[in-house]
């Protein structure tokens, strides 16, 4: 331990070094690791990436413990750290900016596109998701979303946060959150329905055209 | 699902595309569907959309598929982290904090 410099360090760093900081971190980790891992898995393609994201998130949280003022919920604070870490990871990997989703690209141009259906076969979502194939299809559809849309959809429709909370995590106003959410949902709908048709229906060009 | 718009089953969807309204009306509705499903619109706009859905089989099927999409996202569960991986990640973090 570098005791010589410790007295000059700000409180944040002394928290890291002393027992109270470790205890506070352990409490934080125990209480929130499952939630953040669930979030991470929803954001990441691979299990290993999700585990890395959990590690980055809690490492950054540990380092920021002294700065957390408690004016936000701890979970919101952790979501914010995880979201930033995830966007950083993806940017580093992909190296190019997010594609913008235009609302116009989701406006059907034919009856067939209007009538794309999700292959749930009349089952409840829980029953339908017993199918491994459908679970994989949902995960893949979400993974295909550009980053900034995927994070909004995961926070709002999967973690079930309010639009206001999502806005606070992402630094967006509610209107922007809702706009991204709508595009993200339309994207996933199209992905799932296209997959359903490919698997269980005649080819798309056999559908009635309007 | 919070909103309970009228639902049409998949067997009732073979009607012609437009029933006495322009496609522009469909587009207007489609642009607002998430807000509609999230009950984020005024009563009068919701009523307008409900009326349109009742008269337009295409949009009725569209809203059903969008609602199902949201439900699938909400219900999609994932495996939890094993105790051994949880412990490994914790160790890694404490090591990183100690040595940096």
């Amino acid at each position: 331990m570098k005791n010589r410099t410790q007295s000059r360090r700000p409180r944040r760093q002394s928290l890291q070094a002393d027992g109270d900081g470790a205890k506070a971190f352990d409490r934080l980790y125990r209480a929130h690791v499952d939630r953040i891992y669930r979030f991470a898995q929803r954001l990441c393609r691979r299990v290993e990436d999700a585990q890395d994201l959990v590690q980055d998130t809690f490492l950054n949280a540990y380092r920021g413990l002294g700065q957390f003022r408690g004016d936000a919920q701890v979970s919101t604070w952790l979501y914010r750290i995880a979201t930033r870490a995830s966007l950083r990871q993806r940017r580093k990997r992909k190296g190019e900016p997010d594609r913008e989703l235009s609302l116009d690209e989701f406006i059907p141009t034919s009856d067939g596109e209007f009538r794309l259906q999700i292959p749930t076969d009349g089952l409840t979502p829980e029953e339908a998701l017993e199918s491994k194939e459908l679970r994989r299809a949902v995960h893949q559809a979400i993974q295909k979303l550009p980053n900034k849309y995927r994070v909004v959809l995961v926070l709002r429709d999967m973690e079930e946060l309010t639009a206001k909370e999502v806005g606070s995590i992402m630094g967006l106003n509610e209107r922007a959150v809702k706009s991204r959410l709508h595009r993200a949902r339309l994207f996933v709908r199209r992905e799932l329905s296209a997959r359903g048709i490919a698997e269980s229906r005649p080819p798309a060009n056999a559908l009635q055209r309007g | 699902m919070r909103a309970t718009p009228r639902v049409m089953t998949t067997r009732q969807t073979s009607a012609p595309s437009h029933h006495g309204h322009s496609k522009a009306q469909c587009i207007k509705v489609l642009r607002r569907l998430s807000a509609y499903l999230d009950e984020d619109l005024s009563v009068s706009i919701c009523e307008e959309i409900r009326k349109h859905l009742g008269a337009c089989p295409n949009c009725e099927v569209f809203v059903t598929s969008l609602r199902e999409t949201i439900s699938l996202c909400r219900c999609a569960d994932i495996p939890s982290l094993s105790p051994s991986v949880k412990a490994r990640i914790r160790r890694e973090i404490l090591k990183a904090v100690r040595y940096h």
Side-chain angles (χ1 to χ4, degrees):
Chain A
M1 196 62 58
K2 295 173 184 170
N3 287 330
R4 280 175 301 152
T5 56
Q6 201 148 339
S7 60
R8 293 196 298 272
R9 284 176 177 170
R11 186 169 174 268
R12 172 172 67 92
Q13 282 166 320
S14 68
L15 258 178
Q16 290 167 16
D18 66 28
D20 286 348
K23 275 185 202 158
F25 167 74
D26 268 340
R27 275 197 301 274
L28 182 80
Y29 188 72
R30 265 200 308 273
H32 296 279
V33 67
D34 288 328
R35 178 200 293 262
I36 293 301
Y37 180 61
R38 188 186 60 197
F39 179 51
Q41 273 209 76
R42 286 169 168 165
L43 288 182
C44 297
R45 277 197 181 85
R46 301 180 314 146
V47 169
E48 298 77 21
D49 295 338
Q51 292 178 2
D52 285 350
L53 183 55
V54 171
Q55 190 166 323
D56 281 356
T57 302
F58 281 97
L59 180 59
N60 289 333
Y62 195 138
R63 289 176 170 152
L65 268 176
Q67 263 114 46
F68 178 62
R69 293 194 305 270
D71 51 2
Q73 275 190 18
V74 179
S75 56
T76 309
W77 177 62
L78 289 171
Y79 276 129
R80 188 177 300 128
I81 297 172
T83 296
R84 284 181 189 161
S86 160
L87 292 175
R88 247 192 335 264
Q89 273 184 2
R90 288 259 182 170
R91 265 198 299 269
K92 211 184 287 175
R93 216 165 288 143
K94 212 174 157 197
E96 58 188 50
D98 272 349
R99 180 167 86 83
E100 292 291 337
L101 297 179
S102 152
L103 210 44
D104 290 339
E105 69 183 270
F106 300 107
I107 301 295
T109 54
S110 67
D111 279 10
E113 278 182 63
F114 260 108
R115 293 176 190 180
L116 292 175
Q117 287 169 26
I118 310 297
T120 53
D121 298 326
L123 300 169
T124 64
E126 290 86 355
E127 289 166 344
L129 284 163
E130 283 174 18
S131 151
K132 199 175 163 187
E133 200 57 45
L134 185 61
R135 280 204 307 275
R136 191 182 302 132
V138 173
H139 185 68
Q140 283 176 352
I142 293 167
Q143 293 309 310
K144 278 176 84 172
L145 277 165
N147 295 331
K148 63 186 190 183
Y149 297 93
R150 188 178 59 259
V151 175
V152 168
L153 181 117
V154 169
L155 285 170
R156 184 79 179 91
D157 282 346
M158 303 183 93
E159 300 297 310
E160 301 196 50
L161 270 56
T162 64
K164 194 175 173 185
E165 287 168 329
V166 177
S168 125
I169 288 164
M170 298 197 68
L172 296 171
N173 62 40
E174 279 187 57
R175 199 177 161 171
V177 169
K178 289 171 184 175
S179 164
R180 283 190 194 179
L181 179 66
H182 188 42
R183 287 163 169 77
R185 286 170 172 177
L186 292 172
F187 180 96
V188 173
R189 169 200 172 264
R190 195 178 57 191
E191 287 295 315
L192 289 181
S193 52
R195 181 178 293 269
I197 282 172
E199 282 172 2
S200 60
R201 307 263 162 82
N205 59 10
L207 289 169
Q208 184 188 349
R209 292 278 163 188
Chain B
M1 193 58 53
R2 280 162 281 187
T4 52
R6 199 170 151 257
V7 179
M8 182 175 277
T9 66
T10 54
R11 278 184 293 279
Q12 293 170 277
T13 60
S14 57
S17 55
H18 299 299
H19 290 239
H21 59 262
S22 68
K23 198 179 165 200
Q25 278 176 278
C26 299
I27 293 171
K28 198 174 153 193
V29 166
L30 296 187
R31 285 179 182 274
R32 289 167 156 175
L33 277 188
S34 278
Y36 173 68
L37 292 172
D38 292 341
E39 295 188 317
D40 219 5
L41 298 171
S42 70
V43 175
S44 62
I45 294 176
C46 277
E47 185 54 34
E48 202 181 298
I49 292 176
R50 254 193 301 273
K51 265 189 204 162
H52 178 87
L53 294 176
C56 181
N58 276 353
C59 286
E60 188 81 60
V61 177
F62 197 105
V63 74
T64 300
S65 66
L66 191 64
R67 190 190 302 105
E68 284 175 342
T69 299
I70 300 166
S71 298
L72 287 174
C73 289
R74 288 214 171 121
C75 297
D77 215 354
I78 40 151
S80 51
L81 203 55
S82 71
S84 64
V85 177
K86 254 185 234 183
R88 176 182 59 76
I89 292 176
R90 179 183 168 276
R91 270 197 312 275
E92 295 289 334
I93 293 168
L94 293 177
K95 201 162 84 183
V97 169
R98 208 166 293 134
Y99 294 110
H100 287 89

